[in-house]
Amino acid sequence: MNSSYKFILIVFLCNFLFSQDDSDAVVERENRTISPIIQIRYDNFANSNFSPSSAIGIILKIDEDRYTGFDVNTSTNETRILMGWKWSLLGISVKEVTLEDDSTNNVNMYSFGVKYNILDNMNTIIEYVLSGDSSTDDFLRLTIGVQF
């Protein structure tokens, strides 16, 4: 009985040692289909009282030219679905806004813009954001992002 435990232990240790030796476990960036993104956004950057915010999301590469994904801006409670083709970008989002009577309302927002790659993993985006609500103004957004 004692020898069967030793045999099982030796087989387990050998399997564990040999299973850790996999040099093909790293996937190159060009071959990845899902990539996380981190962004710094400047909403209404054409105005003098803009403030930066951060967003985090995921990009899903469909083919060499097209992609889709989502991102979340925690400081303004905005969640957005992205669609892109080459340098163009479309977004559909929902943003939580505070009204004058201190109640909160969800506003639909639509954005379109251009994306330009600065470096291999760094890009900048300029978008025109349309508000689906009469109490929220349309604005320009400047974004600097890093894609992993």
Side-chain angles (χ1 to χ4, degrees), residues 4-104:
S4 62
Y5 285 127
K6 289 180 185 178
F7 178 74
I8 292 172
L9 182 63
I10 290 171
V11 169
F12 175 74
L13 288 175
C14 288
N15 285 336
F16 180 73
L17 291 174
F18 290 124
S19 67
Q20 299 299 314
D21 189 24
D22 186 11
S23 61
D24 296 333
V26 177
V27 178
E28 296 297 322
R29 183 183 180 278
E30 303 86 40
N31 299 330
R32 273 190 235 148
T33 56
I34 296 178
S35 298
I37 55 171
I38 297 174
Q39 300 173 335
I40 298 174
R41 291 183 179 169
Y42 297 95
D43 288 349
N44 204 4
F45 74 94
N47 197 352
S48 62
N49 59 357
F50 68 91
S51 62
S53 62
S54 61
I56 188 168
I58 292 179
I59 295 291
L60 171 65
K61 187 168 69 171
I62 298 170
D63 58 21
E64 292 300 319
D65 295 331
R66 298 178 295 163
Y67 58 92
T68 186
F70 71 92
D71 60 10
V72 176
N73 189 340
T74 57
S75 62
T76 59
N77 293 334
E78 180 182 354
T79 304
R80 179 172 67 160
I81 297 174
L82 301 170
M83 297 160 281
W85 182 58
K86 293 187 180 181
W87 51 266
S88 61
L89 177 71
L90 297 172
I92 301 171
S93 64
V94 175
K95 184 176 181 178
E96 187 178 289
V97 295
T98 304
L99 301 175
E100 293 175 1
D101 61 353
D102 290 333
S103 64
T104 57

